[in-house]
Amino acid sequence: MQSTKFQRQSSFRRGGVIPTAICLSKATISVGVLSMSVHAAEVGALYQLACLMLGGVLTVLSIRCRGQWSTVFLVHIDNPYPKALKWMISVASIETKKWSFEDVCEELFHPVMSIFTGFMNACVCLGSAAGYLIVCGQVFVVIFQADNATRNLFVVLVGIFVCCPMALARHVGFMRHLAALSVGALILLVIVVAWYMGDRGIDESVTTENFLLGPGGATFITYMNSINNMIFAYNNQFNVPQLTGELTPEPSRNGMTKVALLSTSISFLLYASVSILGVLAFGVAENQKDSLILDLMPVRKEIHVLISLIAVMFSVLTCFQFHIYPVRQFLAYLVRKARGRSSDDEKTDVVYFGRSLTRWYDIFCALGSVCLVVLIAVVITSLRAMLDFIGAFGAAYISFMVPPMWIIALRRKDEKNFSWFSREILFSVSFLALGLFLFVFGTYSAILPILGL
């Protein structure tokens, strides 16, 4: 009985599979859910759901190839060329004992590659964090009908008094309880959208044809931006290395496989629900506003709508820590290299006021990152434009280009019988080609609306 009780009490411990999956899904489900129905209204539910399903599969593959190196030599020692997908169970942080993109890239490539990858990762995370503050600003405007100056002041105050303290946490796993609550907050938003549709009926602009296939007139750019949003919506790979390192009792490939499947399933269900309900409730094409927050403005005085808007604000602020942490890792890597120290040298570092100099640098970098995010959120107010660009520019590289490059580099480094024509390497090259396409054409399609072209 005591053993069972202990297991139940510890099932939501930091590093457990379920809380880790919730943390990873929370890093995934954030502001992306607010613009899902906008894209679904343009391209149709069938295309949107197909993209979401494909994105979910690719995300699981990407996480599994990034989250577990532990058996790269053990599982495949008797079969250097396993079936096409077996390699996805065995590649990333565990074998190298490195818990950041920068350190893994340095292990397999070169410090220049580490810096470039860290920079791209930081761009994604800074943009995502700015998106959270943009949403907070939208909620504030909707509730209080505030002008732009007041909205900017609110964003700055939230950044100082909420985001700065949260950005200082050493570990991502401590957010597991808040992450669970914030996922529940977004479920509440889905319920409110369903209530809106039930109360006012299906929007008059919706027909069976345009619901399934879109209203027509969508260009290649429109479809590409929908894919960009999907990439951003599933983009949680930046947290995989540190969450892998925090798994207890020890990092394992089976644990990260369960985490990937569970977190992606939660994300897909929420995204699919919002895509369908949002289109039915608010209509197609121009009837959709920038986000669900603005769509709900006409009924903002309803108490349950007001509660859901506040819950959304809480949810996106919870995400803030998940996105600032990789930025801190990148800056810590740069500082460490400048000081000529390794990733495990903090215990031997000089101590000031009870904290190591490494930790002080980490604190200053975290606060500086928050200040930059606040500046971005004040300057840019369009959530959709921000998400499309981030999804194309940075998330495509981090999610779909880095993992296959790791696989190829690992095989070239550790296998004597390396062949470009093995199924494993051909799959990796195909995955890399997809990432390159999304990176180039996705960025192009996201920039055009920003430039007004």
Side-chain angles (χ1 to χ4, degrees):
M1 290 295 293
Q2 290 181 349
S3 176
T4 303
K5 182 178 180 180
F6 174 79
Q7 290 178 358
R8 289 178 180 175
Q9 289 177 342
S10 62
S11 62
F12 211 73
R13 68 190 186 281
R14 183 168 70 87
V17 169
I18 293 178
T20 300
I22 290 177
C23 285
L24 194 59
S25 64
K26 186 58 222 146
T28 307
I29 309 168
S30 54
V31 293
V33 73
L34 301 177
S35 62
M36 276 292 160
S37 61
V38 181
H39 291 283
E42 292 179 335
V43 300
L46 291 180
Y47 181 83
Q48 180 84 345
L49 292 176
C51 286
L52 289 173
M53 292 180 66
L54 177 62
V57 171
L58 293 176
T59 298
V60 172
L61 296 179
S62 179
I63 291 174
R64 290 173 69 180
C65 79
R66 189 177 323 215
Q68 318 143 56
W69 285 50
S70 56
T71 58
V72 102
F73 305 106
L74 299 178
V75 173
H76 304 314
I77 192 168
D78 296 324
N79 184 10
Y81 299 110
K83 293 182 180 180
L85 293 181
K86 280 188 178 179
W87 63 276
M88 286 290 188
I89 305 174
S90 53
V91 188
S93 301
I94 300 174
E95 181 65 22
T96 56
K97 303 300 181 182
K98 306 295 183 183
W99 313 119
S100 72
F101 277 83
E102 297 78 16
D103 290 328
V104 175
C105 283
E106 183 174 354
E107 180 77 13
L108 293 177
F109 299 109
H110 189 273
V112 173
M113 180 67 173
S114 299
I115 293 173
F116 178 75
T117 300
F119 173 76
M120 295 292 287
N121 201 19
C123 287
V124 173
C125 293
L126 287 173
S128 301
Y132 302 151
L133 292 185
I134 291 174
V135 169
C136 289
Q138 286 185 347
V139 172
F140 182 77
V141 169
V142 168
I143 293 177
F144 297 102
Q145 295 293 286
D147 57 23
N148 192 56
T150 307
R151 173 255 182 203
N152 290 342
L153 177 61
F154 174 76
V155 168
V156 172
L157 293 176
V158 169
I160 293 174
F161 294 105
V162 179
C163 297
C164 280
M166 291 176 63
L168 299 180
R170 275 187 173 271
H171 303 288
V172 176
F174 97 99
M175 297 284 290
R176 60 194 182 279
H177 298 97
L178 292 177
L181 290 175
S182 63
V183 171
L186 291 178
I187 293 175
L188 176 61
L189 176 66
V190 175
I191 294 173
V192 168
V193 174
W195 162 83
Y196 185 95
M197 183 189 69
D199 183 64
R200 304 204 172 191
I202 297 175
D203 190 88
E204 60 183 11
S205 65
V206 177
T207 65
T208 302
E209 182 178 358
N210 63 27
F211 170 72
L212 294 176
L213 303 176
T219 64
F220 170 78
I221 301 299
T222 304
Y223 286 103
M224 197 68 223
N225 280 334
S226 182
I227 294 177
N228 292 341
N229 186 63
M230 177 272 294
I231 295 172
F232 175 83
Y234 279 115
N235 183 47
N236 58 13
Q237 285 83 353
F238 46 80
N239 283 132
V240 171
Q242 59 263 34
L243 286 173
T244 301
E246 293 179 19
L247 277 179
T248 56
E250 63 180 4
S252 68
R253 61 189 177 94
N254 290 331
M256 280 308 297
T257 298
K258 295 176 183 177
V259 167
L261 291 171
L262 180 57
S263 64
T264 304
S265 298
I266 294 172
S267 302
F268 174 80
L269 290 175
L270 267 175
Y271 290 147
S273 300
V274 167
S275 297
I276 294 172
L277 293 174
V279 173
L280 294 177
F282 303 112
V284 298
E286 290 79 9
N287 287 14
Q288 291 278 341
K289 296 182 175 61
D290 189 58
S291 72
L292 289 177
I293 301 300
L294 300 181
D295 286 325
L296 291 171
M297 182 179 288
V299 291
R300 63 186 180 278
K301 294 184 180 180
E302 298 283 348
I303 184 64
H304 51 286
V305 175
L306 181 63
I307 293 174
S308 72
L309 293 177
I310 296 174
V312 167
M313 187 183 299
F314 163 77
S315 180
V316 297
L317 288 177
T318 302
C319 287
F320 200 89
Q321 157 68 6
F322 293 105
H323 290 77
I324 288 297
Y325 195 92
V327 180
R328 289 166 51 191
Q329 284 188 319
F330 174 56
L331 295 176
Y333 176 82
L334 295 179
V335 172
R336 197 169 67 238
K337 287 299 175 184
R339 299 180 64 202
R341 301 179 66 86
S342 68
S343 57
D344 301 322
D345 285 350
E346 183 176 358
K347 293 181 180 180
T348 62
D349 203 357
V350 62
V351 176
Y352 292 102
F353 303 104
R355 290 184 174 86
S356 67
L357 186 57
T358 298
R359 176 57 176 161
W360 281 114
Y361 278 126
D362 179 45
I363 291 174
F364 294 143
C365 289
L367 297 178
S369 300
V370 173
C371 291
L372 179 58
V373 168
V374 171
L375 177 62
I376 295 173
V378 169
V379 173
I380 300 177
T381 59
S382 174
L383 177 64
R384 180 180 174 184
M386 169 72 76
L387 301 190
D388 288 346
F389 181 74
I390 294 170
F393 177 70
Y397 174 78
I398 294 299
S399 300
F400 300 123
M401 294 180 67
V402 173
M405 287 193 293
W406 281 358
I407 296 295
I408 295 170
L410 178 67
R411 288 293 179 257
R412 285 176 62 87
K413 182 178 180 180
D414 294 306
E415 287 192 0
K416 296 180 180 179
N417 298 321
F418 175 81
S419 172
W420 285 102
F421 298 101
S422 68
R423 286 174 294 179
E424 184 180 26
I425 298 302
L426 287 175
F427 190 88
S428 299
V429 172
S430 301
F431 208 84
L432 179 60
L434 172 63
L436 186 62
F437 170 81
L438 295 174
F439 178 78
V440 174
F441 289 97
T443 302
Y444 172 77
S445 62
I447 288 177
L448 289 181
I450 295 176
L451 299 178
L453 300 177

Short mmCIF file of all heavy atoms in Angstrom, two decimals, residues 234-280:
data_model
loop_
_atom_site.label_atom_id
_atom_site.label_comp_id
_atom_site.label_asym_id
_atom_site.label_seq_id
_atom_site.Cartn_x
_atom_site.Cartn_y
_atom_site.Cartn_z
N TYR A 234 3.04 23.33 -33.99
CA TYR A 234 3.61 22.12 -33.42
C TYR A 234 5.06 22.31 -32.97
O TYR A 234 5.69 21.34 -32.53
CB TYR A 234 3.59 20.99 -34.46
CG TYR A 234 2.26 20.29 -34.58
CD1 TYR A 234 1.52 20.37 -35.75
CD2 TYR A 234 1.73 19.55 -33.53
CE1 TYR A 234 0.30 19.72 -35.88
CE2 TYR A 234 0.53 18.91 -33.64
CZ TYR A 234 -0.19 18.99 -34.82
OH TYR A 234 -1.39 18.34 -34.94
N ASN A 235 5.56 23.50 -33.07
CA ASN A 235 6.98 23.71 -32.79
C ASN A 235 7.26 23.70 -31.29
O ASN A 235 7.05 24.69 -30.60
CB ASN A 235 7.44 25.04 -33.40
CG ASN A 235 8.93 25.26 -33.21
OD1 ASN A 235 9.73 24.37 -33.46
ND2 ASN A 235 9.29 26.44 -32.75
N ASN A 236 7.72 22.56 -30.79
CA ASN A 236 8.11 22.46 -29.38
C ASN A 236 9.49 21.83 -29.23
O ASN A 236 9.92 21.53 -28.13
CB ASN A 236 7.08 21.64 -28.60
CG ASN A 236 6.90 20.23 -29.17
OD1 ASN A 236 7.68 19.77 -30.01
ND2 ASN A 236 5.85 19.56 -28.73
N GLN A 237 10.17 21.65 -30.36
CA GLN A 237 11.44 20.93 -30.33
C GLN A 237 12.51 21.67 -29.52
O GLN A 237 13.45 21.04 -29.02
CB GLN A 237 11.95 20.69 -31.75
CG GLN A 237 11.21 19.58 -32.49
CD GLN A 237 9.91 20.07 -33.12
OE1 GLN A 237 9.48 21.19 -32.91
NE2 GLN A 237 9.29 19.21 -33.90
N PHE A 238 12.37 22.97 -29.40
CA PHE A 238 13.39 23.74 -28.68
C PHE A 238 13.46 23.37 -27.22
O PHE A 238 14.48 23.60 -26.56
CB PHE A 238 13.12 25.25 -28.83
CG PHE A 238 11.68 25.63 -28.60
CD1 PHE A 238 11.19 25.77 -27.32
CD2 PHE A 238 10.84 25.85 -29.67
CE1 PHE A 238 9.87 26.11 -27.10
CE2 PHE A 238 9.51 26.20 -29.46
CZ PHE A 238 9.02 26.34 -28.18
N ASN A 239 12.39 22.79 -26.66
CA ASN A 239 12.39 22.38 -25.25
C ASN A 239 12.74 20.92 -25.06
O ASN A 239 12.88 20.45 -23.92
CB ASN A 239 11.03 22.65 -24.61
CG ASN A 239 10.80 24.10 -24.27
OD1 ASN A 239 9.76 24.67 -24.57
ND2 ASN A 239 11.78 24.72 -23.63
N VAL A 240 12.86 20.16 -26.15
CA VAL A 240 13.08 18.71 -26.03
C VAL A 240 14.40 18.37 -25.34
O VAL A 240 14.42 17.51 -24.45
CB VAL A 240 12.99 18.03 -27.41
CG1 VAL A 240 13.43 16.57 -27.33
CG2 VAL A 240 11.57 18.11 -27.94
N PRO A 241 15.54 18.99 -25.69
CA PRO A 241 16.78 18.60 -25.03
C PRO A 241 16.75 18.76 -23.51
O PRO A 241 17.13 17.85 -22.78
CB PRO A 241 17.83 19.53 -25.67
CG PRO A 241 17.27 19.84 -27.01
CD PRO A 241 15.79 19.95 -26.80
N GLN A 242 16.28 19.93 -23.04
CA GLN A 242 16.29 20.12 -21.57
C GLN A 242 15.26 19.25 -20.88
O GLN A 242 15.50 18.73 -19.78
CB GLN A 242 16.10 21.59 -21.19
CG GLN A 242 14.83 22.24 -21.68
CD GLN A 242 15.05 23.02 -22.96
OE1 GLN A 242 15.86 22.63 -23.80
NE2 GLN A 242 14.34 24.12 -23.11
N LEU A 243 14.07 19.03 -21.50
CA LEU A 243 13.08 18.14 -20.88
C LEU A 243 13.55 16.69 -20.90
O LEU A 243 13.26 15.93 -19.98
CB LEU A 243 11.74 18.28 -21.61
CG LEU A 243 10.96 19.57 -21.32
CD1 LEU A 243 9.73 19.66 -22.21
CD2 LEU A 243 10.56 19.65 -19.85
N THR A 244 14.30 16.33 -21.94
CA THR A 244 14.89 14.99 -21.96
C THR A 244 15.85 14.81 -20.80
O THR A 244 15.85 13.79 -20.11
CB THR A 244 15.64 14.75 -23.29
OG1 THR A 244 14.72 14.91 -24.38
CG2 THR A 244 16.23 13.35 -23.34
N GLY A 245 16.68 15.83 -20.57
CA GLY A 245 17.64 15.76 -19.48
C GLY A 245 17.00 15.75 -18.11
O GLY A 245 17.60 15.26 -17.15
N GLU A 246 15.77 16.26 -18.01
CA GLU A 246 15.08 16.30 -16.71
C GLU A 246 14.24 15.06 -16.44
O GLU A 246 13.65 14.94 -15.36
CB GLU A 246 14.18 17.55 -16.65
CG GLU A 246 14.96 18.86 -16.63
CD GLU A 246 14.07 20.08 -16.59
OE1 GLU A 246 12.89 19.93 -16.21
OE2 GLU A 246 14.54 21.18 -16.92
N LEU A 247 14.14 14.13 -17.41
CA LEU A 247 13.38 12.90 -17.19
C LEU A 247 13.95 12.12 -16.00
O LEU A 247 15.16 12.02 -15.84
CB LEU A 247 13.41 12.02 -18.43
CG LEU A 247 12.41 12.31 -19.55
CD1 LEU A 247 12.62 11.34 -20.70
CD2 LEU A 247 10.98 12.23 -19.06
N THR A 248 13.06 11.56 -15.18
CA THR A 248 13.49 10.76 -14.05
C THR A 248 12.85 9.37 -14.15
O THR A 248 11.78 9.22 -14.73
CB THR A 248 13.05 11.43 -12.73
OG1 THR A 248 11.64 11.63 -12.73
CG2 THR A 248 13.76 12.75 -12.52
N PRO A 249 13.47 8.33 -13.60
CA PRO A 249 14.73 8.37 -12.83
C PRO A 249 15.96 8.66 -13.69
O PRO A 249 16.98 9.06 -13.17
CB PRO A 249 14.80 6.97 -12.22
CG PRO A 249 14.03 6.12 -13.17
CD PRO A 249 12.91 6.98 -13.68
N GLU A 250 15.86 8.47 -15.01
CA GLU A 250 16.93 8.82 -15.91
C GLU A 250 16.37 8.99 -17.31
O GLU A 250 15.32 8.43 -17.65
CB GLU A 250 18.03 7.73 -15.92
CG GLU A 250 17.55 6.38 -16.42
CD GLU A 250 18.66 5.34 -16.40
OE1 GLU A 250 19.76 5.67 -15.93
OE2 GLU A 250 18.41 4.22 -16.88
N PRO A 251 17.03 9.78 -18.14
CA PRO A 251 16.56 9.94 -19.52
C PRO A 251 16.52 8.61 -20.25
O PRO A 251 17.45 7.81 -20.14
CB PRO A 251 17.61 10.89 -20.14
CG PRO A 251 18.20 11.61 -18.97
CD PRO A 251 18.20 10.63 -17.84
N SER A 252 15.43 8.37 -20.99
CA SER A 252 15.30 7.11 -21.71
C SER A 252 14.55 7.33 -23.01
O SER A 252 13.71 8.22 -23.13
CB SER A 252 14.55 6.08 -20.85
OG SER A 252 13.20 6.45 -20.68
N ARG A 253 14.83 6.45 -23.98
CA ARG A 253 14.17 6.56 -25.28
C ARG A 253 12.69 6.24 -25.17
O ARG A 253 11.84 6.88 -25.81
CB ARG A 253 14.85 5.63 -26.29
CG ARG A 253 14.82 4.16 -25.95
CD ARG A 253 15.69 3.34 -26.89
NE ARG A 253 15.71 1.93 -26.51
CZ ARG A 253 14.91 1.01 -27.03
NH1 ARG A 253 14.02 1.36 -27.93
NH2 ARG A 253 15.00 -0.25 -26.65
N ASN A 254 12.33 5.23 -24.35
CA ASN A 254 10.92 4.88 -24.19
C ASN A 254 10.13 6.01 -23.55
O ASN A 254 8.99 6.30 -23.94
CB ASN A 254 10.78 3.61 -23.34
CG ASN A 254 11.28 2.37 -24.06
OD1 ASN A 254 11.22 2.30 -25.28
ND2 ASN A 254 11.78 1.40 -23.32
N GLY A 255 10.74 6.66 -22.58
CA GLY A 255 10.08 7.77 -21.92
C GLY A 255 9.79 8.91 -22.88
O GLY A 255 8.68 9.46 -22.91
N MET A 256 10.77 9.29 -23.71
CA MET A 256 10.57 10.39 -24.64
C MET A 256 9.62 10.00 -25.77
O MET A 256 8.93 10.87 -26.32
CB MET A 256 11.91 10.85 -25.21
CG MET A 256 12.69 11.77 -24.27
SD MET A 256 11.74 13.19 -23.67
CE MET A 256 11.41 14.07 -25.19
N THR A 257 9.56 8.73 -26.13
CA THR A 257 8.59 8.30 -27.13
C THR A 257 7.17 8.51 -26.61
O THR A 257 6.30 9.03 -27.32
CB THR A 257 8.79 6.81 -27.48
OG1 THR A 257 10.09 6.64 -28.03
CG2 THR A 257 7.76 6.34 -28.49
N LYS A 258 6.92 8.12 -25.36
CA LYS A 258 5.60 8.33 -24.75
C LYS A 258 5.29 9.81 -24.63
O LYS A 258 4.16 10.24 -24.88
CB LYS A 258 5.56 7.67 -23.37
CG LYS A 258 5.68 6.15 -23.41
CD LYS A 258 5.74 5.58 -22.00
CE LYS A 258 5.93 4.07 -22.02
NZ LYS A 258 6.06 3.52 -20.64
N VAL A 259 6.28 10.60 -24.25
CA VAL A 259 6.10 12.05 -24.14
C VAL A 259 5.70 12.65 -25.49
O VAL A 259 4.77 13.46 -25.59
CB VAL A 259 7.38 12.71 -23.61
CG1 VAL A 259 7.32 14.23 -23.77
CG2 VAL A 259 7.59 12.36 -22.14
N ALA A 260 6.41 12.26 -26.55
CA ALA A 260 6.14 12.80 -27.88
C ALA A 260 4.73 12.46 -28.35
O ALA A 260 4.00 13.31 -28.86
CB ALA A 260 7.17 12.27 -28.88
N LEU A 261 4.34 11.20 -28.18
CA LEU A 261 3.01 10.78 -28.63
C LEU A 261 1.91 11.46 -27.84
O LEU A 261 0.92 11.93 -28.41
CB LEU A 261 2.88 9.26 -28.50
CG LEU A 261 3.75 8.43 -29.47
CD1 LEU A 261 3.69 6.95 -29.10
CD2 LEU A 261 3.28 8.64 -30.90
N LEU A 262 2.07 11.54 -26.52
CA LEU A 262 1.03 12.14 -25.68
C LEU A 262 0.90 13.63 -25.93
O LEU A 262 -0.22 14.16 -26.11
CB LEU A 262 1.34 11.87 -24.21
CG LEU A 262 0.34 12.42 -23.18
CD1 LEU A 262 -1.06 11.87 -23.46
CD2 LEU A 262 0.78 12.06 -21.76
N SER A 263 2.01 14.35 -25.98
CA SER A 263 1.96 15.80 -26.17
C SER A 263 1.41 16.16 -27.54
O SER A 263 0.61 17.10 -27.68
CB SER A 263 3.35 16.42 -25.98
OG SER A 263 4.25 15.95 -26.98
N THR A 264 1.79 15.42 -28.58
CA THR A 264 1.30 15.71 -29.92
C THR A 264 -0.18 15.39 -30.06
O THR A 264 -0.92 16.11 -30.74
CB THR A 264 2.11 14.91 -30.96
OG1 THR A 264 3.50 15.22 -30.82
CG2 THR A 264 1.67 15.26 -32.38
N SER A 265 -0.64 14.33 -29.40
CA SER A 265 -2.07 13.99 -29.45
C SER A 265 -2.91 15.08 -28.80
O SER A 265 -3.97 15.47 -29.34
CB SER A 265 -2.30 12.65 -28.74
OG SER A 265 -1.61 11.60 -29.39
N ILE A 266 -2.46 15.57 -27.65
CA ILE A 266 -3.19 16.66 -26.99
C ILE A 266 -3.25 17.88 -27.90
O ILE A 266 -4.31 18.52 -28.05
CB ILE A 266 -2.51 17.01 -25.66
CG1 ILE A 266 -2.62 15.85 -24.67
CG2 ILE A 266 -3.13 18.27 -25.05
CD1 ILE A 266 -1.81 16.05 -23.39
N SER A 267 -2.13 18.21 -28.52
CA SER A 267 -2.07 19.38 -29.40
C SER A 267 -3.01 19.22 -30.59
O SER A 267 -3.76 20.14 -30.94
CB SER A 267 -0.64 19.59 -29.90
OG SER A 267 0.25 19.75 -28.82
N PHE A 268 -2.98 18.05 -31.22
CA PHE A 268 -3.82 17.83 -32.40
C PHE A 268 -5.30 17.98 -32.06
O PHE A 268 -6.07 18.61 -32.80
CB PHE A 268 -3.55 16.45 -33.00
CG PHE A 268 -4.49 16.10 -34.12
CD1 PHE A 268 -4.27 16.59 -35.40
CD2 PHE A 268 -5.59 15.29 -33.89
CE1 PHE A 268 -5.15 16.29 -36.44
CE2 PHE A 268 -6.47 14.98 -34.93
CZ PHE A 268 -6.24 15.48 -36.20
N LEU A 269 -5.73 17.39 -30.94
CA LEU A 269 -7.14 17.45 -30.57
C LEU A 269 -7.59 18.90 -30.36
O LEU A 269 -8.68 19.30 -30.80
CB LEU A 269 -7.39 16.63 -29.31
CG LEU A 269 -7.28 15.10 -29.49
CD1 LEU A 269 -7.41 14.40 -28.14
CD2 LEU A 269 -8.33 14.60 -30.46
N LEU A 270 -6.77 19.70 -29.70
CA LEU A 270 -7.13 21.10 -29.48
C LEU A 270 -7.14 21.88 -30.78
O LEU A 270 -8.08 22.65 -31.05
CB LEU A 270 -6.15 21.73 -28.49
CG LEU A 270 -6.58 21.71 -27.02
CD1 LEU A 270 -5.47 22.27 -26.14
CD2 LEU A 270 -7.85 22.51 -26.81
N TYR A 271 -6.13 21.70 -31.60
CA TYR A 271 -6.05 22.44 -32.87
C TYR A 271 -7.20 22.08 -33.80
O TYR A 271 -7.79 22.94 -34.45
CB TYR A 271 -4.71 22.16 -33.55
CG TYR A 271 -3.52 22.77 -32.86
CD1 TYR A 271 -2.28 22.14 -32.89
CD2 TYR A 271 -3.62 23.97 -32.18
CE1 TYR A 271 -1.18 22.70 -32.26
CE2 TYR A 271 -2.54 24.54 -31.55
CZ TYR A 271 -1.31 23.90 -31.58
OH TYR A 271 -0.22 24.45 -30.96
N ALA A 272 -7.50 20.79 -33.90
CA ALA A 272 -8.58 20.36 -34.78
C ALA A 272 -9.92 20.90 -34.29
O ALA A 272 -10.75 21.36 -35.10
CB ALA A 272 -8.62 18.83 -34.85
N SER A 273 -10.15 20.88 -32.98
CA SER A 273 -11.40 21.40 -32.42
C SER A 273 -11.57 22.88 -32.71
O SER A 273 -12.64 23.33 -33.13
CB SER A 273 -11.44 21.15 -30.91
OG SER A 273 -11.36 19.77 -30.60
N VAL A 274 -10.50 23.65 -32.49
CA VAL A 274 -10.57 25.09 -32.73
C VAL A 274 -10.76 25.39 -34.21
O VAL A 274 -11.52 26.29 -34.59
CB VAL A 274 -9.28 25.77 -32.22
CG1 VAL A 274 -9.19 27.20 -32.72
CG2 VAL A 274 -9.27 25.76 -30.70
N SER A 275 -10.09 24.65 -35.08
CA SER A 275 -10.22 24.87 -36.53
C SER A 275 -11.66 24.70 -36.98
O SER A 275 -12.19 25.51 -37.74
CB SER A 275 -9.30 23.92 -37.30
OG SER A 275 -7.94 24.16 -37.00
N ILE A 276 -12.30 23.62 -36.53
CA ILE A 276 -13.66 23.33 -36.96
C ILE A 276 -14.66 24.28 -36.32
O ILE A 276 -15.47 24.91 -37.01
CB ILE A 276 -14.00 21.86 -36.63
CG1 ILE A 276 -13.14 20.92 -37.47
CG2 ILE A 276 -15.49 21.59 -36.88
CD1 ILE A 276 -13.28 19.46 -37.08
N LEU A 277 -14.60 24.40 -35.00
CA LEU A 277 -15.57 25.23 -34.29
C LEU A 277 -15.41 26.71 -34.65
O LEU A 277 -16.40 27.44 -34.77
CB LEU A 277 -15.43 25.03 -32.78
CG LEU A 277 -15.80 23.65 -32.24
CD1 LEU A 277 -15.48 23.56 -30.75
CD2 LEU A 277 -17.28 23.37 -32.48
N GLY A 278 -14.16 27.16 -34.82
CA GLY A 278 -13.93 28.56 -35.14
C GLY A 278 -14.53 28.96 -36.48
O GLY A 278 -15.11 30.05 -36.62
N VAL A 279 -14.39 28.10 -37.48
CA VAL A 279 -14.97 28.40 -38.80
C VAL A 279 -16.49 28.39 -38.73
O VAL A 279 -17.16 29.28 -39.26
CB VAL A 279 -14.47 27.39 -39.85
CG1 VAL A 279 -15.20 27.60 -41.18
CG2 VAL A 279 -12.97 27.55 -40.06
N LEU A 280 -17.07 27.39 -38.07
CA LEU A 280 -18.52 27.31 -37.97
C LEU A 280 -19.10 28.49 -37.19
O LEU A 280 -20.18 29.00 -37.53
CB LEU A 280 -18.92 25.99 -37.29
CG LEU A 280 -18.60 24.70 -38.07
CD1 LEU A 280 -18.98 23.49 -37.22
CD2 LEU A 280 -19.34 24.67 -39.40
#
